[in-house]
Amino acid sequence: MMTSGDNLLVAAIDFGTTFSGYAFSFRHDYDLNRLNIFANTSWIAGGAGLVSWKTPTTLLLNADQSFNSFGYQAEEDYIGILDNDDEDPDNYYYFKRFKMLLHGKLTLDRNVMIKDIGGKEMPALDVFCHSIRYLKDNLMTTLENRSIDIKEEEIRFVLTIPAIWNEPAKQFMREAAVKAGILSRNLVLALEPEAASLYCKHIPVDRMDTGNPGETSIIPFQEGMSYMVLDLGGGTVDVTVHQVTGDDTLKELFKASGGAWGGTRVDQAFQALLKNVVTETCFDAFCRDNRPDLLDFERELELRKRTVVDSARKPVVMKVPIALPTTYEDMTDKSRDDAIKESIHNGKITFKRDKMLIDVDLFCGCFTDCTESIKGHVEDILKRPEINGHLDAIIMVGGFSESAIIVQSLRKAFPGMRVIVPQDAGLAVVKGAVLYGHCPTSISSRVCKFTYGIAAKATFKPGIHPESQKSENNGKFYCKNVFGKFIGIGENAGIGQTVKQSFGITSLTAPVVIEIFASTEPNPIMVTDEGCTKIGSITVRPPEAGWKPDTDLEVDMDFGSAEFTVSACDAKNKTDSFSTTFDFLE
């Protein structure tokens, strides 16, 4: 793997649930001005020619599962297929918002399948691979168009992932990126809120919005300052808490956390609102039979999510596809006015030609699930003994943080706290990932999300160990499947600070395989305890001549990096190192 400083260019790919993009900077630009980062913000959105900061995470594949298009182009191409009577949409695969497949997985099969919007299945690894390859190739085209002559092997690629993802999901993304043509040794994974935190640490204070006009004397990122980063994306909300250390790096104070409270939850709530008006059957029929109109409607909602302010007392005006009310009228023999009168939202919604006027409180109610979940989570973290309410600021980044409703809700909930939104909050992650790629040691320590260990054999302790795991050898009683703890949940793991364990060999020719377990408890007793899960294994391969009979393996595990790393050597002769890998995929 490349070390800091030996790459000519760092390119970060922000692979999001709803939108994706990339940014890059040269090493010499980083050394002169760290914020001299180019982000591709010229994605063309649809026939209207609107320019967007990012492109939708939407993939269109041909019948043979080969690549067709990605992003806005995929959306437009799919609409063209639907409008063309000579084309059968069932001959294509159309995927959108598929990243959430990996959310919350402690175990993951590398052969897991994923369904497109029509229910057709294909390997998820290929879907992710096609998407990452497109973004990589688009980046290389952008570099070529700017007359930048550079080879892919001279680039350090950074791929962003949610901090709340577990090791199997991280490995899945790495394997998809490698399959997409990125050399593994040139690839770094960056945790999204950490990347955003690095970016915010470097941007001038006058490019941050505190909610107080004219205020600029804010958050000097000096030693001892602590702050929370809320990375609000389309699918997830990632939360980290950092403190600036004496050597100007960032130390994590509380383990990465969060949940599936992103912008898509608002979409779901808004759809539920519409189903209450036009009935679920009619709404589903509209979605099934009018996909081009549905796409326009989704884009309209995305715009309103960002621009509506809950303090405004005017109704929210949304352009509505005429097919939505006409579908209701055709299926029920009732008028659109009847639909409103018979719903629980009578008096709060009005249809006027191709517009729908929605009471602002009703529209803002679609955000309630998200805002309450986020506020409750932030409150819980502030009460933690590691934090104890002592934070200098809450910094909101990510595309969903551009929603005025979300920002106002947080500022009302925490009036004594500075809630800050950077000027280009939607690009904070991808630009921060570039900074991280130049200097991965910028994050000096992280907090473990689980207790990690192995299945060990130990002296049997009556009353502690279960009788079912008891065995006897030479008159001594042992217990198998005891949790051999490496590092505990909530413990600090510094970069490069490894945990060492020794293991013997059982065969002179066979690899040594060590199973790794994760527990939600600080001090689990058995690997069979509730809350304990096998997440993967370490494999140490013997040299070509096989193991020496007296080999004593010393395995070093680094739990402080964005990805776990492992190495192994002969405990008696440290110069004898062995090929060693983590594998978290089934």
Side-chain angles (χ1 to χ4, degrees):
M1 185 179 291
M2 285 182 168
T3 56
S4 179
D6 62 5
N7 47 287
L8 294 176
L9 182 140
V10 169
I13 296 174
D14 183 14
F15 189 79
T17 299
T18 51
F19 291 94
S20 296
Y22 60 80
F24 59 85
S25 77
F26 281 94
R27 181 73 205 184
H28 62 265
D29 287 330
Y30 172 82
D31 291 336
L32 291 172
N33 176 8
R34 294 185 178 182
L35 293 180
N36 190 5
I37 300 169
F38 173 85
N40 184 15
T41 56
S42 57
W43 304 98
I44 305 301
L50 299 176
V51 178
S52 172
W53 281 9
K54 294 183 182 179
T55 194
T57 308
T58 304
L59 176 68
L60 179 65
L61 301 178
N62 299 313
D64 61 356
Q65 299 183 359
S66 62
F67 180 81
N68 184 296
S69 51
F70 183 86
Y72 285 116
Q73 190 62 52
E75 291 183 345
E76 296 302 320
D77 288 349
Y78 191 62
I79 288 174
I81 292 167
L82 293 171
D83 287 341
N84 189 341
D85 293 337
D86 295 330
E87 290 275 18
D88 183 358
D90 289 336
N91 289 334
Y92 295 84
Y93 292 80
Y94 187 64
F95 297 94
K96 59 189 301 183
R97 298 181 176 178
F98 49 86
K99 182 181 171 184
M100 288 298 285
L101 171 78
L102 304 182
H103 174 67
K105 296 286 194 302
L106 250 182
T107 59
L108 187 63
D109 188 335
R110 61 168 44 86
N111 298 313
V112 64
M113 304 295 284
I114 187 172
K115 293 181 179 180
D116 81 336
I117 65 168
K120 298 187 297 296
E121 282 192 334
M122 67 174 287
L125 193 66
D126 291 342
V127 174
F128 282 79
C129 167
H130 278 303
S131 305
I132 295 170
R133 181 186 291 118
Y134 168 80
L135 291 165
K136 173 183 71 73
D137 291 348
N138 191 285
L139 160 73
M140 297 308 297
T141 300
T142 297
L143 292 173
E144 184 180 341
N145 292 340
R146 292 167 66 91
S147 300
I148 297 172
D149 184 17
I150 191 169
K151 298 181 177 67
E152 284 189 23
E153 55 266 29
E154 296 174 313
I155 301 173
R156 166 176 279 170
F157 286 92
V158 183
L159 189 61
T160 66
I161 55 170
I164 53 176
W165 273 13
N166 298 315
E167 296 309 309
K170 295 177 186 178
Q171 183 178 336
F172 186 93
M173 288 296 287
R174 173 172 283 276
E175 292 193 4
V178 170
K179 190 171 183 178
I182 297 175
L183 295 174
S184 185
R185 68 174 182 271
N186 290 1
L187 177 63
V188 176
L189 299 189
L191 307 183
E192 291 163 357
E194 287 187 353
S197 183
L198 284 175
Y199 178 68
C200 293
K201 181 173 173 288
H202 287 97
I203 59 178
V205 294
D206 61 356
R207 289 169 61 184
M208 292 189 180
D209 171 25
T210 66
N212 299 317
E215 180 180 341
T216 56
S217 57
I218 57 171
I219 59 165
F221 284 85
Q222 58 193 16
E223 182 181 354
M225 177 201 164
S226 57
Y227 58 97
M228 178 185 294
V229 175
L230 297 180
D231 178 18
L232 285 71
T236 60
V237 173
D238 251 6
V239 186
T240 56
V241 183
H242 284 144
Q243 185 177 65
V244 181
T245 66
D247 59 2
D248 205 34
T249 61
L250 297 178
K251 171 186 177 182
E252 191 174 53
L253 296 182
F254 182 67
K255 65 185 178 73
S257 57
W261 314 315
T264 53
R265 287 282 279 271
V266 178
D267 300 353
Q268 294 164 8
F270 187 72
Q271 287 183 8
L273 185 155
L274 292 177
K275 288 176 181 179
N276 196 278
V277 175
V278 300
T279 75
E280 183 171 353
T281 302
C282 294
F283 183 78
D284 291 345
F286 159 75
C287 294
R288 183 184 65 247
D289 301 333
N290 302 274
R291 288 178 181 170
D293 289 336
L294 176 62
L295 176 59
D296 289 338
F297 200 29
E298 288 172 343
R299 289 177 178 173
E300 176 79 3
L301 175 60
E302 194 66 34
L303 179 63
R304 294 292 170 260
K305 280 160 55 178
R306 297 166 188 256
T307 57
V308 171
V309 181
D310 62 358
S311 58
R313 301 324 304 161
K314 297 184 296 184
V316 177
V317 181
M318 288 189 66
K319 188 174 181 179
V320 178
I322 194 66
L324 178 59
T326 56
T327 297
Y328 173 82
E329 291 168 347
D330 292 343
M331 293 181 67
T332 63
D333 288 329
K334 297 179 181 179
S335 71
R336 62 192 70 184
D337 292 334
D338 291 334
I340 295 171
K341 290 175 184 177
E342 295 175 8
S343 79
I344 61 174
H345 304 307
N346 185 26
K348 297 183 178 181
I349 296 178
T350 306
F351 281 112
K352 286 191 176 179
R353 295 182 295 279
D354 63 342
K355 301 289 193 301
M356 182 168 61
L357 282 65
I358 310 170
D359 177 82
V360 67
D361 290 333
L362 180 61
F363 184 83
C364 291
C366 295
F367 289 74
T368 301
D369 190 23
C370 287
T371 55
E372 292 305 308
S373 296
I374 295 168
K375 288 189 294 186
H377 190 69
V378 171
E379 286 174 356
D380 289 343
I381 292 177
L382 290 174
K383 294 174 184 175
R384 297 285 305 186
E386 303 95 320
I387 312 300
N388 197 26
H390 299 307
L391 281 184
D392 294 290
I394 295 174
I395 302 176
M396 299 177 66
V397 299
F400 196 31
S401 68
E402 295 170 13
S403 165
I405 295 174
I406 292 289
V407 175
Q408 289 175 352
S409 173
L410 267 291
R411 284 178 173 156
K412 288 178 182 177
F414 304 101
M417 184 75 65
R418 285 180 173 177
V419 179
I420 300 165
V421 185
Q423 193 175 48
D424 49 357
L427 294 176
V429 169
V430 70
K431 288 188 174 182
V434 173
L435 296 175
Y436 180 79
H438 281 294
C439 186
T441 55
S442 300
I443 309 294
S444 57
S445 73
R446 295 178 173 88
V447 177
C448 284
K449 293 186 290 182
F450 297 95
T451 297
Y452 297 100
I454 60 170
K457 187 177 180 181
T459 301
F460 186 82
K461 296 180 180 179
I464 296 177
H465 294 148
E467 291 288 335
S468 61
Q469 302 293 328
K470 186 178 181 181
S471 63
E472 182 182 359
N473 186 17
N474 294 328
K476 294 183 179 179
F477 292 100
Y478 297 92
C479 182
K480 59 183 180 179
N481 289 325
V482 173
F483 195 103
K485 181 177 173 181
F486 288 156
I487 192 166
I489 187 171
E491 290 186 25
N492 283 305
I495 302 297
Q497 296 178 2
T498 60
V499 177
K500 300 180 185 293
Q501 291 282 345
S502 295
F503 300 91
I505 58 172
T506 56
S507 167
L508 295 179
T509 58
V512 174
V513 179
I514 306 158
E515 294 183 335
I516 304 296
F517 292 81
S519 174
T520 54
E521 296 298 321
N523 294 295
I525 296 173
M526 309 293 295
V527 297
T528 53
D529 288 352
E530 186 177 351
C532 185
T533 306
K534 177 191 168 186
I535 60 168
S537 61
I538 298 171
T539 301
V540 186
R541 293 171 182 81
E544 287 186 14
W547 299 114
K548 297 175 182 177
D550 61 344
T551 298
D552 185 16
L553 287 179
E554 182 177 281
V555 179
D556 288 6
M557 288 154 284
D558 180 359
F559 294 99
S561 301
E563 295 175 272
F564 291 169
T565 58
V566 62
S567 61
C569 65
D570 189 327
K572 301 183 185 69
N573 184 0
K574 300 295 179 68
T575 59
D576 288 348
S577 59
F578 308 111
S579 172
T580 313
T581 56
F582 266 125
D583 190 0
F584 295 102
L585 296 176
E586 298 176 353

